[in-house]
Amino acid sequence: MRLTEQLFVTLREDPADAEVRSHALMVRAGFLQKLSAGIYIYGPMLWRVLRRVEQIVREEHDRVGYQELLMPALQPRELWEESGRWDRYVQDGILFHFADRKGSEVCLGPTHEEVITTYVKRMIQSYKQLPVMLYQIQTKFRDEIRPRFGLMRGKEFIMKDAYSFDVSADDMKASYEKMHKVYCNVFTRCGLRFTPVEADSGAIGGAGSEEFMVDAETGEDAIAVCHKTGYAANIEKAVSQIPAPDAAGDAVEMHKEPTPGAKSCEELLALFPNLPKTRLLKTVLYSATYEEREETVAVMCRGDREVNEIKLLNHLQAHSLELADEETVRSATGAELGFAGPLNLADGVRLLADQSVSGVEGFLCGANETDAHYLDVWFGRDLEQPETADFGVVQEGDQTGDGKGVIKITRGIEVGHIFQLGTKYSEAMDATFADKSQKVKPLWMGCYGIGVSRVAAAAIEQNHDENGMIWPLSIAPYAVHLVQMKAGQEEQDVLSQEIHDTLQAQGVDVLWDDRPKVGPGAKFKDADLVGIPLRVVVGRDAGDRRVEFGCRDGEGRETLGVEDVLSQILHACQEAGRA
Ligand code: ATP
Ligand code: MG
């Protein structure tokens, strides 16, 4: 492809709103253009990348027997009422929904469990038809609170979603394991370094789930890993053994201490310099929203630990959870913010405790009175230990749950998520089959997503330098960047044309920079920016049929004969599955 025949515009400056490199570089290279927050035009170069990713996804799904279909993006409200998800998604604010001209409500699909379950239940009668394995690649819509980082978190993005339907829990697990392998293959082929981690299932629901995290400092997710034991879990879900609390001295009587203005742990520790942080118990107030009611929840937690809101939400089985606002805190505690404690909370406030408080003796806690705390409080003597569970955030240096290793916190970009759904949707939506003895049973489902557009962004987060993107060969927009130093110089024209045509004929796609009025410096700058992985430079040795060949990252650059270069390129492209 001749560059002069393409719309090719690159920018010198990073866009002002780009917080991560992948976003900035894609915009500068003309891959991506913002239409409004979280809504982007995918330019021709990016579209080539996305089609490559899709192709890998298709091949790996087809290989294990998945069939591709395409479902509508518009989904009627009734389906979401059937599954019971409409209210939750509307309350969350994530759902784009509106009424059609007849007043029927529809949403733009953020995910497709309802539609696929409807489709399959109308097709399936008997166990003989199972398993069924289907997938689609389609645009999804989510009204994200914080659309950002370009392709990473859009309001509109491309997802591959697959669904499996089985006769039993065991078969569902087998389908899930099969998909785990498919995902490993897909991400490996896309040239990504990634870690599968245990995950929270969130609003999708079901029993087990795993996320595939691309290792990247800029990732939005924190991950707890232990290289020794192989443990890896999203921090939302991770568990650990936490260090024991410091022991208390003598069991003196509980007493009130004036703590004017001391609201944070740091301010309190300054007032009580001899008190270890593990004997300071904070009480954090939340407002939980359920289908038909709200509840104020107070959670006790050790001063050196944090509350994990996802674990708390799951325990409460609430729709959503947020930190209580000032007014709620005042009416629950009778005090200003910062003095909440477990004693004398208002009626109706539900008191819980994180497991970190177990075994803490003679502690300090809020008195539910402005400018006051209680000191030397003991569970069993001054109050019963409230309902206690693991509501804590795992921290670096904690022991793994099995006590055999130490946890490290790293960051990642979630590019895929696989779920064992069980019968959550099939029971709610009456999707059944007749087993061998004609007994009617619900289908066992799994669902599996890959953020196709996010994969492209993640690849660049992992592979770039100060000059631009460096695409993995398997998903690069073109395999070869052919830089002609001086367009119009006859020997260079002829050799470039030959290289271009030979490679194209072999199925290797080439971007040929044949711009006549652009100097070599600017051409190399652009080539570095767009990051096509293999580079051929046709210059002054063209008459001798010699060219410079190397990789975008500068590796192995040398001047070689054309035939040698052509065969090396073909070989590399075949290895990467693109010729
Ligand atoms: P996140 O936690 O990042 O919001 P999610 O857990 O809600 O994502 P899933 O429902 O698991 O997302 O969707 C499957 C995949 O789709 C994710 O693993 C991710 O790669 C991708 N994805 C989800 N939301 C977005 C988005 N707003 N923009 C781009 N890709 C997304
Ligand atoms: Mg997810």
Side-chain angles (χ1 to χ4, degrees):
M1 188 71 81
R2 283 173 179 269
L3 198 55
T4 48
E5 289 167 3
Q6 295 197 2
L7 179 61
F8 184 83
V9 180
T10 56
L11 308 175
R12 251 168 227 277
E13 304 288 330
D14 282 355
D17 64 348
E19 296 168 71
V20 294
R21 290 319 290 155
S22 58
H23 182 193
L25 292 170
M26 282 193 198
V27 171
R28 272 180 53 199
F31 280 46
L32 197 62
Q33 193 186 90
K34 179 166 153 184
L35 204 53
S36 81
I39 306 177
Y40 291 91
I41 297 166
Y42 307 153
M45 290 277 239
L46 178 58
W47 188 236
R48 293 178 74 94
V49 172
L50 296 176
R51 283 192 356 232
R52 286 265 161 209
V53 177
E54 288 183 4
Q55 185 57 26
I56 291 171
V57 166
R58 288 201 168 92
E59 285 171 15
E60 293 301 325
H61 282 71
D62 294 350
R63 192 201 300 281
V64 296
Y66 274 77
Q67 285 178 282
E68 185 171 356
L69 82 174
L70 184 61
M71 292 179 271
L74 272 181
Q75 304 183 13
R77 172 175 178 161
E78 292 73 47
L79 286 188
W80 285 70
E81 295 284 1
E82 258 185 69
S83 70
R85 285 208 291 185
W86 182 266
D87 287 342
R88 180 171 179 170
Y89 273 67
V90 169
Q91 265 174 26
D92 263 7
I94 198 92
L95 203 64
F96 283 107
H97 61 100
F98 47 91
D100 69 11
R101 64 169 74 204
K102 293 197 177 122
S104 306
E105 280 222 76
V106 288
C107 68
L108 292 173
T111 172
H112 276 71
E113 283 76 19
E114 283 78 2
V115 179
I116 196 87
T117 306
T118 302
Y119 173 70
V120 167
K121 81 174 184 188
R122 293 174 180 159
M123 309 274 277
I124 294 287
Q125 274 96 43
S126 154
Y127 72 95
K128 290 180 194 151
Q129 296 166 282
L130 297 168
V132 165
M133 298 177 289
L134 299 163
Y135 75 100
Q136 66 171 347
I137 297 177
Q138 198 212 30
T139 298
K140 296 278 190 277
F141 299 87
R142 294 184 184 180
D143 195 356
E144 298 279 358
I145 306 180
R146 270 190 302 277
R148 57 179 180 170
F149 302 159
L151 280 188
M152 210 81 89
R153 183 170 297 285
K155 288 184 183 160
E156 184 179 329
F157 60 97
I158 302 176
M159 197 203 284
K160 180 285 311 185
D161 43 323
Y163 305 87
S164 61
F165 297 85
D166 281 291
V167 295
S168 67
D170 282 348
D171 284 11
M172 171 192 73
K173 283 189 188 129
S175 293
Y176 177 87
E177 289 308 328
K178 183 150 116 181
M179 196 53 109
H180 183 104
K181 291 205 188 82
V182 168
Y183 274 43
C184 289
N185 291 344
V186 166
F187 298 128
T188 304
R189 283 187 61 188
C190 288
L192 300 169
R193 299 179 293 283
F194 63 95
T195 311
V197 305
E198 287 174 26
D200 178 68
S201 296
I204 307 277
S209 91
E210 277 166 294
E211 288 161 342
F212 288 75
M213 294 289 185
V214 166
D215 311 329
E217 279 298 307
T218 48
E220 287 185 283
D221 286 273
I223 310 161
V225 294
C226 172
H227 295 303
K228 190 165 162 221
T229 62
Y231 181 72
N234 190 313
I235 202 112
E236 293 176 352
K237 165 96 176 180
V239 293
S240 65
Q241 286 185 22
I242 66 176
D246 297 85
D250 296 338
V252 291
E253 241 175 68
M254 172 178 111
H255 52 278
K256 200 183 280 177
E257 290 273 353
T259 55
K263 302 173 174 192
S264 67
C265 287
E266 281 60 42
E267 287 162 332
L268 287 164
L269 290 171
L271 281 184
F272 303 93
N274 296 326
L275 188 79
K277 215 173 179 183
T278 58
R279 276 175 46 216
L280 188 162
L281 298 191
K282 51 190 169 191
T283 305
V284 191
L285 277 92
Y286 290 95
S287 296
T289 309
Y290 301 84
E291 201 156 323
E292 273 159 2
R293 67 192 172 95
E294 300 220 346
E295 184 179 46
T296 304
V297 181
V299 186
M300 297 183 75
C301 177
R302 223 164 74 184
D304 60 329
R305 313 292 302 184
E306 299 298 329
V307 176
N308 180 327
E309 294 178 9
I310 305 284
K311 289 182 184 173
L312 181 60
L313 180 78
N314 289 341
H315 182 88
L316 294 170
Q317 297 195 313
H319 274 187
S320 61
L321 187 71
E322 57 185 29
L323 275 176
D325 57 25
E326 272 183 49
E327 201 185 314
T328 311
V329 173
R330 262 188 227 110
S331 62
T333 65
E336 288 305 311
L337 227 67
F339 302 95
L343 294 152
N344 318 321
L345 281 165
D347 286 349
V349 176
R350 180 166 172 193
L351 182 62
L352 298 171
D354 172 48
Q355 61 180 13
S356 61
V357 310
S358 295
V360 181
E361 298 171 331
F363 53 84
L364 180 91
C365 62
N368 292 327
E369 185 184 312
T370 303
D371 294 340
H373 279 72
Y374 286 121
L375 187 56
D376 291 308
V377 188
W378 290 66
F379 286 125
R381 184 189 71 181
D382 304 314
L383 78 161
E384 284 314 308
Q385 184 172 331
E387 181 184 343
T388 304
D390 176 11
F391 303 124
V393 179
V394 165
Q395 292 177 6
E396 178 125 353
D398 287 354
Q399 295 230 301
T400 50
D402 61 10
K404 290 182 180 155
V406 176
I407 287 199
K408 214 179 133 213
I409 308 292
T410 63
R411 301 200 74 82
I413 301 167
E414 180 193 328
V415 286
H417 198 165
I418 59 177
F419 298 81
Q420 295 177 24
L421 288 179
T423 56
K424 171 177 164 160
Y425 294 90
S426 51
E427 280 190 57
M429 302 185 75
D430 204 23
T432 57
F433 68 99
D435 74 0
K436 279 187 181 145
S437 48
Q438 291 303 308
K439 223 171 119 198
V440 174
K441 289 182 169 165
L443 291 159
W444 285 83
M445 289 174 59
C447 77
Y448 319 95
I450 289 181
V452 169
S453 41
R454 192 182 280 182
V455 162
I460 293 309
E461 280 310 310
Q462 264 190 351
N463 304 287
H464 65 265
D465 61 17
E466 62 282 7
N467 300 321
M469 306 186 274
I470 306 174
W471 288 102
L473 183 52
S474 56
I475 60 171
Y478 292 88
V480 178
H481 203 127
L482 177 60
V483 183
Q484 185 180 344
M485 302 283 270
K486 201 166 177 9
Q489 203 270 341
E490 201 189 337
E491 283 166 336
Q492 289 190 26
D493 284 350
V494 171
L495 191 62
S496 298
Q497 185 78 56
E498 180 191 329
I499 293 171
H500 174 268
D501 294 351
T502 311
L503 288 173
Q504 292 283 127
Q506 287 167 330
V508 175
D509 44 355
V510 183
L511 182 66
W512 174 8
D513 192 346
D514 61 338
R515 290 176 292 179
K517 292 203 180 86
V518 179
K523 285 188 178 173
F524 287 129
K525 222 173 163 148
D526 279 341
D528 279 350
L529 181 59
V530 301
I532 293 165
L534 303 176
R535 187 178 302 173
V536 177
V537 183
V538 176
R540 77 172 96 77
D541 298 327
D544 302 333
R545 297 182 61 71
R546 289 171 71 76
V547 296
E548 191 186 285
F549 175 59
C551 294
R552 154 67 181 83
D553 57 16
E555 214 168 285
R557 213 168 272 174
E558 54 184 332
T559 302
L560 297 169
V562 167
E563 276 65 33
D564 188 5
V565 169
L566 290 175
S567 83
Q568 282 196 42
I569 290 175
L570 187 61
H571 182 72
C573 289
Q574 281 166 343
E575 290 259 285
R578 67 180 292 160

